[in-house]
């Protein structure tokens, strides 16, 4: 295996991040739900 091929193989190694083919709609909805919950908490505590 040549050096460029070895480097390319290491660059494609998965590191435990989000999957490329995962449920993107679910992640989007969960993210916005978290934003809304934090906004409600900030408002209830009178920090805004």
């Amino acid at each position: 295996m040549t050096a460029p091929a070895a480097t390319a193989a290491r660059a494609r190694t998965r590191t435990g991040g989000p999957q490329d083919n995962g449920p993107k709609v679910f992640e989007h909805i969960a993210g916005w739900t978290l934003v809304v919950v934090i906004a409600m908490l900030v408002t209830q505590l009178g920090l805004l």
Side-chain angles (χ1 to χ4, degrees):
M1 184 177 277
T2 63
T7 303
R10 269 185 261 137
R12 284 177 276 160
T13 302
R14 295 294 301 171
T15 58
Q19 298 296 322
D20 293 333
N21 57 0
K24 294 188 186 311
V25 173
F26 175 73
E27 291 176 7
H28 193 75
I29 292 171
W32 277 108
T33 303
L34 180 62
V35 168
V36 170
V37 168
I38 290 173
M40 290 181 348
L41 178 64
V42 166
T43 303
Q44 288 293 321
L45 293 176
L47 299 175
L48 183 68

